[in-house]
Amino acid sequence: MDLEDDTTVFATLKSFNSFISRPDPPQRLSEQAAAGAGLQMQYKRSMELLEAAEKLHSKNQYLQLDQEKRQMELSHKRARFELEKAASDSARDFEREVDRNQELLGRIKRLEEREAESAKSQSEQVEANRALRKKLEGLTQKLEERDSTLETANQTISALKDEIRELKQKIQNQDATISTQTLENQALEEQLDLQRRKYQEVSQLCQSLQSAQSSCSEHIIKIKELERRLALQEQDVVMVRTMKSEVARVPDMDKELRRLREDNAYLRESRENSSLLKEEVEGLRRKLERMERTKEELVNMELEKEVPSVLVQHCFDCVVLKPEDLSREVIQIQQREIALKEQNYTLTSRVRTVERSQSELQGELAQQRSKALEEQKKRESQDALVRRLQKRVLLLTKERDGMRSILESYDSELAPTEYSPQLTKRLREAEDILQKTQSHHAEMEVADKSTCVYPLFRLKIEDLEAERQRLEEQNSILEMRLERHNLQGDYDPVKTQVLHFKMNPTSVAKQQRQQEVESLREEVIRLREHLRSLQDGGALVHAQDDSSMPGSNLRKQMESSELRNQRLKEVFQRKIQEFRTVCYVLTGYQIDITTENQYRLTSVYAEHMDDSLLFKKGSSGSMQLMETEFSKTLGEMVALHLHHQKSIPAFLSAVTLDLFSRQTAV
Amino acid sequence: MTSTLKGITLKGSAELVAEFFSFGINSILYQRGIYPPETFTRVTQYDMSLQLTTDVKLKNYLTNVVSQLKEWLFECTVQKLVLVITCLETNEVLERWQFDIECDKSAKESSAPREKSIKTIQDEIRSVIRQITATVTFLPLLESACSFDLLVYTDKDLVVPDRWEESGPQIISQSEEVRLRSFTTSIHKVNSMVAYKKTDSV
């Protein structure tokens, strides 16, 4: 309703305005016609207008009053509505109250009923009470009787209690005694426990002592065994050494042997030779004897010859037959004699030479025998020396080892335990052992030659040799390792320390590198921040002082250059656009660059949008027309202006004129 | 060289050995390219031409180390001198030139000079330096930037002087070692060896 009022108000206002505005144009028209009566008319009109205005005003007021009335009605209605609401609410409340009332009345009734019931019950109980009281009275009488009896009983009870007290006291006394006794018992038990513990400890100590003693004895036995083994080993070692020395001597001995054998063989040969020679000599002597006998016989013969020579001469004189035979025989005999003499001489010379050689050989023999004897004597003496030395060495080593073992046992045993009396005992024992061994060895020295136990020693020697080789190999390996480590630069920290100059080139270089790296990192961080800020474009928001003068200058330069670039671009764009439009307008062609060196011209008067001419710029700089749909239709003009006249502007202008003529005609 | 003409004393021997170290270290630095070759100048020593550095810092460092080393040689408390070449990028030790020094402790200040001609000692030193130059041919190339350090192995009870500190032995892992020549002045014997890191390409 309000809206309708408003619209009517606005409509009336509008009509009023239109009404006001209407008279103006008619006023203007009639102004020229009626000038004299104008004022009256104007006055009338103004009066009419005023009336109208008053009417309107009154209408407005009426409307306003109407409105107010309506509003009042509305408010009345609202108030009524609210009152109705309130009334309904109060009615509801009233109803509720009524309901409550009814409920309460109901409750009251129930309570009254209950009261009546309780009153009944109460009366019943009162009657019951009376009955009970009667009973009570009877009971009280009984109680009195019992009380009397109780009193007598109490008296007896008290007497009994006294007795009980006495008994309790006795019990307490006994308890006290019992407690004292238990305490004594506990003390005795504790003492027992202590004694038992002591006994256990003592027994443990005894056991430990026994075990220690047994272990000690075992150790002693072990030590003795080890000592024995050590001695044996050292003996073996000594034997090995002697054997080695002997073995070393063996080749020399072999050589000597060979030499002696050769000498012996030679001597034997010489002996044989000498025996042969002796035989020869004997033969020769016999021959000599024979010869002498023959000589004697010859002499005898000669003597006898002299006797018969006369006879012979006689015979010769007598017997003239055979003087030549006789002379021959004589010559033969003489020759025989000469030969025999020669033989004699040669035999005598041979005998002499043989005798000489025999004497020489005998001398040599005697020398060789003496040499052999001497060498044998030397050998024997040296063997004896060697044996004596060996035994002395053995003794010394045994002494030394005994002392060493004693010392080691001292060192090892002194710290944990302090069995000094045992140590002294051991010392004495060891000294006794030493003395015994010394005496034993002295006896052995006195005795001639010790029995050799070579095969066992040999086995031991072999084992020791193998072990020695193994140890040598290990030694060499360890030495190589040591050498390697030494080459690599290893050192014994106990004896050596490694020093270097504090300001050495490596540390200086490292520091410089570090500094460079840090400075580079800082620069990188700074540049990254700079980049980020530039990319965001918010070059104004940099709060840090890191981007100081150079950074801000650069940014400003960047901004200014960018702005300049943009402005230039805009200017160029604008200018280009202007120029192109001017060209289009003046020449009548729109020139576009399609691709490199290709230009498309579209005429202002083109009939279709696609009608265009394509020109290509050749390598020499001349423009050439390319074939297009549109250029095909201009074949005549192409031929005339381009081929014949060779002028592109003429062609273009001809095309423009042609198109223009077509356009304007159409 | 202030060693006496008539034999070698302890002091003279210490000076000879220190001098050898000074020239030897310079040669190694030149040969291995630790410093650019244009920072070296040629000098004549031991009848051969050797390279000596002109870099001032390096010279100072070397004179400091060598003078201290001379003292220790005189006291016979130094056992080894090691030149360690480290790669700066990976901080790995690439080469170790180790010189073992054996000192005859019976030669004291007052004992008589030993009979050994200086010429013989110089010849021995020359052959050692020649061998060092020759070993460079089979050592692996040092491609990255390297720096060197000098370590001295001394007796444990020696007082550490100012400007010196204890260091680790800087041993190369997986190294090949080559023993080089030695020379002796009859009081000090110097054995040289080089250990280098095995390259992966066999």
Side-chain angles (χ1 to χ4, degrees):
Chain A
M1 280 195 323
D2 290 332
L3 285 171
E4 282 170 14
D5 294 335
D6 290 335
T7 48
T8 50
V9 168
F10 286 133
T12 51
L13 278 170
K14 260 192 190 169
S15 59
F16 176 61
N17 284 330
S18 58
F19 184 64
I20 291 165
S21 62
R22 251 186 235 156
D24 291 331
Q27 254 189 351
R28 282 192 201 140
L29 285 168
S30 61
E31 240 180 37
Q32 294 163 358
L39 280 168
Q40 268 189 358
M41 293 292 283
Q42 272 182 13
Y43 181 69
K44 274 183 195 173
R45 271 180 209 148
S46 64
M47 287 301 290
E48 282 173 9
L49 282 168
L50 278 167
E51 281 170 18
E54 278 181 21
K55 276 184 200 169
L56 281 166
H57 192 67
S58 61
K59 266 190 193 172
N60 269 335
Q61 274 187 352
Y62 170 68
L63 286 167
Q64 275 179 12
L65 287 167
D66 224 358
Q67 246 189 357
E68 279 173 21
K69 193 183 90 180
R70 278 177 205 153
Q71 277 177 4
M72 293 282 284
E73 279 178 2
L74 272 172
S75 61
H76 270 293
K77 278 181 191 170
R78 270 182 211 147
R80 218 186 288 163
F81 193 59
E82 280 167 16
L83 282 168
E84 280 174 6
K85 264 190 201 172
S88 65
D89 288 335
S90 59
R92 256 182 258 151
D93 289 337
F94 180 68
E95 282 171 14
R96 267 185 228 151
E97 294 293 309
V98 163
D99 290 330
R100 253 190 231 164
N101 239 347
Q102 282 175 356
E103 275 177 34
L104 287 166
L105 281 168
R107 263 191 214 167
I108 286 164
K109 276 179 195 171
R110 271 178 241 147
L111 285 166
E112 280 175 0
E113 284 169 12
R114 269 186 211 162
E115 245 193 271
E117 282 175 16
S118 60
K120 279 179 200 171
S121 62
Q122 205 181 355
S123 61
E124 284 171 8
Q125 274 176 7
V126 162
E127 286 176 11
N129 256 337
R130 278 178 209 157
L132 282 167
R133 265 182 209 158
K134 283 175 192 170
K135 278 183 193 173
L136 259 173
E137 283 168 11
L139 285 167
T140 49
Q141 282 174 6
K142 283 181 192 172
L143 267 170
E144 280 167 15
E145 289 168 14
R146 274 183 198 166
D147 277 334
S148 62
T149 54
L150 265 169
E151 279 177 18
T152 54
N154 276 331
Q155 283 170 9
T156 55
I157 281 163
S158 63
L160 284 167
K161 272 185 186 171
D162 291 332
E163 284 180 24
I164 284 162
R165 256 179 247 150
E166 286 169 17
L167 286 167
K168 270 186 188 172
Q169 277 178 3
K170 280 183 193 171
I171 286 163
Q172 275 176 8
N173 291 333
Q174 280 177 0
D175 280 336
T177 53
I178 284 164
S179 63
T180 52
Q181 277 175 4
T182 51
L183 280 169
E184 284 177 16
N185 216 1
Q186 276 175 10
L188 287 166
E189 275 178 8
E190 279 169 21
Q191 281 183 14
L192 235 185
D193 286 332
L194 276 169
Q195 293 291 324
R196 269 184 206 157
R197 266 179 240 154
K198 278 183 191 170
Y199 173 68
Q200 279 176 3
E201 280 169 18
V202 162
S203 64
Q204 278 174 7
L205 275 169
C206 282
Q207 282 175 6
S208 62
L209 269 170
Q210 280 173 7
S211 60
Q213 273 182 3
S214 62
S215 64
C216 273
S217 59
E218 283 174 12
H219 284 310
I220 287 164
I221 291 162
K222 276 185 198 169
I223 285 160
K224 281 181 189 165
E225 275 184 30
L226 287 167
E227 282 171 5
R228 252 182 275 145
R229 272 189 212 163
L230 246 180
L232 285 169
Q233 272 185 0
E234 277 181 0
Q235 277 181 7
D236 298 336
V237 161
V238 166
M239 286 301 305
V240 161
R241 277 185 211 147
T242 53
M243 291 299 288
K244 261 194 208 169
S245 59
E246 279 182 13
V247 161
R249 262 191 280 146
V250 157
D252 299 332
M253 302 285 276
D254 284 336
K255 280 179 202 166
E256 274 193 43
L257 241 182
R258 264 179 245 152
R259 235 182 348 98
L260 286 167
R261 271 184 197 156
E262 285 170 10
D263 289 340
N264 269 341
Y266 180 64
L267 285 169
R268 270 181 214 144
E269 282 177 17
S270 59
R271 213 194 299 165
E272 284 174 14
N273 285 338
S274 65
S275 61
L276 284 167
L277 287 166
K278 271 183 195 170
E279 283 175 17
E280 273 192 46
V281 156
E282 279 184 22
L284 288 167
R285 268 189 202 153
R286 274 182 216 147
K287 273 188 187 172
L288 241 181
E289 283 170 8
R290 268 186 248 145
M291 293 304 292
E292 281 175 1
R293 271 183 232 149
T294 49
K295 245 194 202 173
E296 285 174 7
E297 281 173 9
L298 256 176
V299 164
N300 292 332
M301 289 279 285
E302 279 182 0
L303 283 170
E304 285 173 6
K305 203 178 81 181
E306 282 179 8
V307 166
S309 65
V310 172
L311 289 170
V312 165
Q313 275 183 350
H314 285 294
C315 288
F316 194 60
D317 293 328
C318 304
V319 183
V320 186
L321 288 163
K322 298 180 189 175
E324 286 122 8
D325 293 337
L326 281 171
S327 66
R328 250 186 275 146
E329 279 184 27
V330 164
I331 289 161
Q332 278 180 6
I333 289 163
Q334 281 180 349
Q335 281 176 355
R336 265 188 236 156
E337 206 189 317
I338 290 161
L340 282 168
K341 275 188 185 171
E342 283 177 10
Q343 275 186 13
N344 203 2
Y345 291 140
T346 55
L347 283 168
T348 49
S349 63
R350 260 196 223 166
V351 159
R352 276 179 216 148
T353 54
V354 161
E355 277 178 2
R356 260 185 254 149
S357 62
Q358 197 199 3
S359 61
E360 280 174 15
L361 285 168
Q362 275 180 355
E364 278 186 29
L365 242 182
Q367 278 181 10
Q368 292 291 329
R369 270 184 204 156
S370 64
K371 272 186 194 170
L373 281 168
E374 281 175 14
E375 276 178 10
Q376 270 184 7
K377 280 180 199 166
K378 275 185 198 169
R379 212 193 297 174
E380 280 168 14
S381 63
Q382 275 177 4
D383 286 336
L385 258 175
V386 156
R387 269 173 232 143
R388 268 182 239 150
L389 287 168
Q390 277 174 21
K391 281 164 191 165
R392 272 188 207 161
V393 159
L394 276 168
L395 284 171
L396 286 169
T397 49
K398 273 192 184 172
E399 279 185 44
R400 186 191 41 134
D401 292 329
M403 304 304 276
R404 255 195 213 162
S405 62
I406 289 165
L407 281 169
E408 277 167 21
S409 66
Y410 277 147
D411 290 334
S412 63
E413 286 185 21
L414 255 178
T417 58
E418 292 182 343
Y419 296 125
S420 45
Q422 279 199 13
L423 279 172
T424 50
K425 270 188 205 169
R426 283 198 63 201
L427 233 184
R428 275 174 227 154
E429 282 171 20
E431 281 175 7
D432 292 334
I433 290 165
L434 250 178
Q435 281 174 4
K436 275 180 200 166
T437 50
Q438 277 179 12
S439 58
H440 185 67
H441 276 288
E443 283 173 14
M444 290 284 281
E445 269 188 347
V446 169
D448 208 1
K449 291 177 188 174
S450 57
T451 55
C452 302
V453 197
Y454 277 111
L456 281 171
F457 282 171
R458 267 190 205 141
L459 284 169
K460 281 186 188 171
I461 284 163
E462 280 165 22
D463 294 335
L464 286 168
E465 276 273 342
E467 223 186 287
R468 194 181 57 83
Q469 276 182 5
R470 203 172 41 80
L471 288 167
E472 269 190 26
E473 281 172 18
Q474 274 188 14
N475 200 12
S476 61
I477 289 166
L478 286 167
E479 272 178 9
M480 268 170 51
R481 265 196 221 159
L482 246 182
E483 171 78 12
R484 184 113 202 274
H485 281 291
N486 194 23
L487 281 177
Q488 285 180 342
D490 223 345
Y491 66 100
D492 180 9
V494 173
K495 293 183 196 155
T496 323
Q497 58 178 351
V498 183
L499 304 174
H500 70 162
F501 211 64
K502 279 183 194 163
M503 295 300 296
N504 64 72
T506 306
S507 57
V508 165
K510 277 184 191 168
Q511 275 178 11
Q512 279 181 357
R513 248 198 136 84
Q514 270 263 292
Q515 284 171 359
E516 269 182 46
V517 161
E518 281 176 17
S519 65
L520 284 167
R521 271 190 202 145
E522 282 172 18
E523 223 186 290
V524 160
I525 291 164
R526 219 171 10 89
L527 288 168
R528 270 189 201 151
E529 283 178 11
H530 190 65
L531 252 178
R532 260 180 240 153
S533 60
L534 280 173
Q535 276 172 5
D536 293 339
L540 300 167
V541 189
H542 48 88
Q544 269 83 20
D545 296 329
D546 297 332
S547 60
S548 57
M549 290 302 293
S552 60
N553 278 340
L554 282 166
R555 267 190 206 139
K556 283 176 193 167
Q557 281 178 21
M558 280 276 293
E559 286 156 24
S560 61
S561 60
E562 274 182 25
L563 277 168
R564 235 186 287 148
N565 273 339
Q566 270 192 333
R567 273 180 218 150
L568 283 166
K569 272 187 203 167
E570 285 166 15
V571 163
F572 284 141
Q573 279 265 315
R574 253 189 295 126
K575 287 287 177 190
I576 287 163
Q577 199 66 36
E578 251 188 67
F579 186 69
R580 285 189 64 192
T581 48
V582 161
C583 280
Y584 185 54
V585 164
L586 290 175
T587 59
Y589 284 99
Q590 184 180 326
I591 304 175
D592 301 314
I593 304 175
T594 51
T595 53
E596 191 73 27
N597 295 335
Q598 277 198 4
Y599 302 94
R600 187 157 46 109
L601 279 82
T602 324
S603 175
V604 144
Y605 305 113
E607 285 167 344
H608 308 286
M609 287 291 285
D610 302 329
D611 288 346
S612 59
L613 296 164
L614 257 179
F615 282 92
K616 188 171 176 184
K617 190 168 183 180
S619 53
S620 54
S622 59
M623 298 295 282
Q624 292 171 351
L625 176 68
M626 309 293 285
E627 188 84 8
T628 59
E629 293 289 320
F630 185 55
S631 65
K632 283 177 197 167
T633 59
L634 307 167
E636 292 175 4
M637 278 186 256
V638 167
L640 174 62
H641 297 290
L642 287 177
H643 294 305
H644 194 66
Q645 290 173 356
K646 296 199 180 133
S647 165
I648 296 171
F651 166 67
L652 290 172
S653 47
V655 167
T656 316
L657 282 169
D658 179 49
L659 286 169
F660 178 66
S661 61
R662 273 191 224 166
Q663 281 258 316
T664 47
V666 170
Chain B
M1 285 201 295
T2 57
S3 47
T4 58
L5 294 164
K6 291 184 188 174
I8 309 292
T9 59
L10 178 61
K11 190 168 178 222
S13 173
E15 282 192 17
L16 280 169
V17 175
E19 201 175 43
F20 159 71
F21 281 135
S22 160
F23 283 101
I25 290 165
N26 271 288
S27 306
I28 294 170
L29 293 176
Y30 175 74
Q31 296 287 339
R32 302 309 284 138
I34 310 293
Y35 289 86
E38 52 264 19
T39 60
F40 286 85
T41 177
R42 204 180 282 261
V43 298
T44 308
Q45 183 75 16
Y46 308 123
D47 273 339
M48 59 197 280
S49 77
L50 297 170
Q51 301 281 348
L52 207 59
T53 185
T54 53
D55 183 318
V56 174
K57 273 191 190 170
L58 180 59
K59 262 191 179 175
N60 276 338
Y61 171 70
L62 285 176
T63 39
N64 282 326
V65 171
V66 168
S67 57
Q68 181 63 63
L69 198 62
K70 213 189 284 189
E71 261 185 58
W72 283 334
L73 281 164
F74 187 68
E75 293 162 14
C76 292
T77 50
V78 61
Q79 296 172 11
K80 289 191 223 273
L81 172 75
V82 182
L83 190 149
V84 177
I85 296 179
T86 326
C87 169
L88 285 173
E89 281 175 12
T90 57
N91 274 340
E92 273 181 321
V93 180
L94 295 177
E95 267 179 34
R96 250 178 139 260
W97 294 81
Q98 183 167 297
F99 299 94
D100 291 348
I101 300 163
E102 290 165 20
C103 183
D104 186 357
K105 304 226 166 151
S106 66
K108 313 241 194 254
E109 281 182 60
S110 48
S111 57
R114 304 266 173 106
E115 294 237 339
K116 184 156 185 184
S117 81
I118 291 178
K119 182 136 193 344
T120 337
I121 298 170
Q122 279 193 335
D123 287 342
E124 288 177 14
I125 290 176
R126 183 170 49 239
S127 52
V128 171
I129 295 185
R130 280 224 183 102
Q131 202 185 22
I132 289 172
T133 315
T135 54
V136 170
T137 52
F138 66 79
L139 291 175
L141 272 179
L142 298 172
E143 289 175 352
S144 55
C146 292
S147 172
F148 82 102
D149 192 4
L150 289 169
L151 307 177
V152 184
Y153 286 46
T154 62
D155 293 340
K156 184 80 181 168
D157 51 359
L158 185 73
V159 172
V160 180
D162 289 350
R163 302 193 291 171
W164 287 75
E165 64 183 3
E166 274 213 44
S167 151
Q170 306 205 27
I171 292 178
I172 304 175
S173 56
Q174 292 178 324
S175 64
E176 295 266 8
E177 300 94 28
V178 177
R179 210 175 239 286
L180 306 174
R181 283 199 139 96
S182 63
F183 76 92
T184 172
T185 63
S186 72
I187 296 179
H188 291 102
K189 182 168 189 231
V190 178
N191 299 312
S192 7
M193 59 208 82
V194 62
Y196 56 95
K197 192 175 169 89
K198 273 191 219 171
T199 48
D200 295 328
S201 59
V202 176

